[in-house]
Amino acid sequence: MRGWMGKTKVFFVFMLLALFLAGCGIENLTALEPKGYGAEKSMDLILLTTLIMTGVFIVVMVIYVITLVRFRRKKGQENYIPEQVEGNHKLEVIWTVIPIILVLVIAVPTVLATFDLSDDSKADELINVNVKGNQYWWHFEYAGEEIQTSQDLYIPTGERVYLHMLSSDVIHSFWVPSISGKMDVNAENVNTMYIEAYDEGVYWGKCAELCGPSHSLMDFKVIAVSPDEYDEWVNDMQNVDTDAEPENAVAQEGQELFEANNCMNCHATDSAASGIEAGPQNNGPFGPNLTNFGDRSRVAGILEHNKENLVDWIMDPESIKPGNKMTGQYPELSQDEAESIAEYLLQLQPSEITPESAGD
């Protein structure tokens, strides 16, 4: 008896813990508060399936309880054998047809929503972005705009933005829970979906497909701004002054070190450039575009955006994102050299439209 009670207490504690942890999360990183068309469609499906599953659970439990109470063994009926119903065609039809109907009720809206969210018939009239998934970062190329950036995807509110996604290595999955559903990002074929944010803000994105040791660290942001601010950002990115001098001597030294240590081979600081290609079949950059690095809110997608964290990343990226492709690609740097490069990168701020201005 004591062992049974102990197991019950443990189960009860785990249930309370699961309920508590279910309430944990990050704002703008949840599918339960939809702020975009795709997330809204996903939420409708979540509610539909939850309603159906809850109904099935209630019906099963009611039948179960009735059976326990009505057909329990009574005193004096120890040898009583109830009527056997195996082979009852009516019951077999009922418990076969009902699940089929429930599956169809779930499947039909799901299929319709899937085709709706991947419909690219209007893509030529709207914004198109070529998305490249890499271990463990994201690259964005704005078709027809001569703009390339990484980690931060800027979009206007109230407009559909079509994403054409391809991987440079393994399978990834593009997911911004608050404004869209998921879409696999493959190396063999381009998958297309569109996203639309209703409100301005910074929405967190994740890779939702196990892709290596730093899969859980493959974060990115979608920055939704007003259409006017988006136009301003596009103009700023198209007119980056690549000949601009750094603001101080430390940053000047950092720029020289950045160029001397082959950083330019992988990282472009011009929004129209890509750096070297990751592979002949993918036509993508080997490293993230750093044109607007100073405007970002995270270092390597996960660390607070400050000089100390950036220096740590430059000195030892492997300790922060195991398996990344930056490790070992450049000569060993001293602490002072890393600080100079960090000073230079933090000054790459071509636009006043930033995650901070969008509410991050």
Side-chain angles (χ1 to χ4, degrees), residues 240 242 258 264 267-271 273 289-292 344-345 348:
V240 174
T242 56
F258 186 84
M264 296 283 289
H267 299 286
T269 55
D270 177 357
S271 65
N289 187 294
L290 303 179
T291 303
N292 61 343
Y344 162 63
L345 293 177
L348 298 178

Side-chain angles (χ1 to χ4, degrees), residues 103-226:
V103 169
L104 288 174
V105 170
I106 295 173
V108 172
T110 301
V111 171
L112 291 175
T114 300
F115 279 97
D116 178 17
L117 295 175
S118 60
D119 177 24
D120 61 353
S121 59
K122 298 180 180 179
D124 292 340
E125 307 168 11
L126 299 168
I127 299 170
N128 288 264
V129 180
N130 297 320
V131 178
K132 187 63 63 64
N134 310 272
Q135 293 176 310
Y136 302 94
W137 57 280
W138 298 87
H139 183 73
F140 308 110
E141 178 186 2
Y142 290 74
E145 300 286 3
E146 295 189 350
I147 294 175
Q148 298 193 44
T149 185
S150 301
Q151 294 300 94
D152 288 354
L153 174 64
Y154 284 77
I155 65 171
T157 56
E159 296 183 27
R160 291 185 180 183
V161 176
Y162 285 84
L163 308 178
H164 309 278
M165 295 178 284
L166 188 68
S167 170
S168 67
D169 35 57
V170 299
I171 297 175
H172 301 284
S173 184
F174 185 94
W175 188 33
V176 190
S178 294
I179 60 174
S180 74
K182 300 176 185 177
M183 177 66 78
D184 278 355
V185 183
N186 305 319
E188 296 83 12
N189 62 285
V190 176
N191 284 337
T192 298
M193 67 179 291
Y194 65 82
I195 59 175
E196 179 183 350
Y198 295 148
D199 303 315
E200 294 182 34
V202 178
Y203 302 98
W204 290 54
K206 286 277 188 180
C207 175
E209 183 80 29
L210 181 61
C211 57
S214 290
H215 156 70
S216 63
L217 306 177
M218 193 171 165
D219 295 2
F220 65 99
K221 304 286 192 308
V222 174
I223 295 94
V225 297
S226 69

Side-chain angles (χ1 to χ4, degrees), residues 48-60:
L48 174 64
T49 53
T50 302
L51 179 64
I52 291 175
M53 290 186 290
T54 302
V56 169
F57 176 77
I58 291 173
V59 169
V60 170

